[in-house]
Amino acid sequence: GSPVGTAEGIRRTRQIGFDTIDISADPLEIDVKERRLIKDTCRAAGLPVISVCCCALGIADFNRAVRQYHLERAKAHLDFVYELAARNLLLVLGEYIWQQEVITPQDQWKWALEAARELGDYAAGLGLEIAIELEPFHLSLVNTLPKMVDFLNDADHPAVRANLDISHLALAHTPAEDIPKLQGKIAHVHFSDCDGSKHGDLPPGRGVVNFRPYLAQLKKLGFDGTISIELEYSPNPEKIVEWVTEAYRETDKLMQEIGLRT
């Protein structure tokens, strides 16, 4: 809902001070001109793309045709990741249907694993990775850090790794001390704030998340990937630039304080 278009948004992102950018765009919804615009503008701005987001909420659906559609759509996203010379596909798996009744949760977990392995093979063939996002909602397939560990272990694929979203960890009541359980398996990090009870994706400082212990653990683990700010819609779309600038300023301050950015 903001008045800032694609190209201007990318250029503004660089002007604010960001080193990299993630892209949220569905390759099945945008045309070849928009794809080229994203790629060329990022390159001209000196802003490498790291990740492309894909919400594949039906990838564990009980209907095979629905699962197959989401699998092929995710592969189209991986092609887009490759086209943008990015590193990973951020994959959101979705939730258990019907409160884990009727269709057993074991079957839905199995279908998600099958998709993750197939996408892992496809990603590896392109030199890319899958970053599974932990979603802190009650029925999400991967909604806690232990479930993330279980999923990655069950998938057992070198290209299928974790996205570590700090506000999601806080909402899942996961202490920073648990992060080492994912050592060597973290592909990407999301950074945002929340009110402690519901999903927010706010600029740091507008919520209650204590970021320092999480950042300290990432530093201790030697994480050398990208920390990306993930924001929900600004409450005032006309001031989207100020919203993003605030998030950048506060995140940069925290990262420099911990020694994760110089």
Side-chain angles (χ1 to χ4, degrees), residues 135-248:
E135 295 289 339
F137 308 114
H138 179 60
L139 290 176
S140 294
L141 272 76
V142 178
N143 61 2
T144 66
L145 192 141
K147 286 184 180 178
M148 176 69 81
V149 172
D150 288 345
F151 190 87
L152 297 184
N153 287 341
D154 289 353
D156 192 25
H157 198 295
V160 179
R161 305 176 71 200
N163 167 267
L164 201 67
D165 189 305
I166 291 177
S167 74
H168 292 184
L169 291 179
L171 287 167
H173 307 293
T174 301
E177 291 74 20
D178 284 358
I179 289 178
K181 294 177 182 178
L182 287 172
Q183 186 167 14
K185 298 181 179 181
I186 303 171
H188 198 56
V189 173
H190 276 173
F191 204 87
S192 62
D193 213 334
C194 67
D195 66 5
S197 61
K198 66 179 182 179
H199 191 271
D201 284 346
L202 305 170
R206 287 190 176 236
V208 300
V209 176
N210 181 9
F211 294 99
R212 290 171 181 82
Y214 294 99
L215 291 174
Q217 284 293 333
L218 288 172
K219 183 180 180 181
K220 185 177 179 180
L221 291 178
F223 177 71
D224 62 354
T226 299
I227 296 177
S228 294
I229 298 173
E230 183 184 28
L231 298 175
E232 281 192 2
Y233 304 109
S234 168
N236 187 346
E238 296 298 322
K239 294 187 176 182
I240 187 65
V241 174
E242 291 86 348
W243 182 253
V244 178
T245 300
E246 175 188 339
Y248 171 84

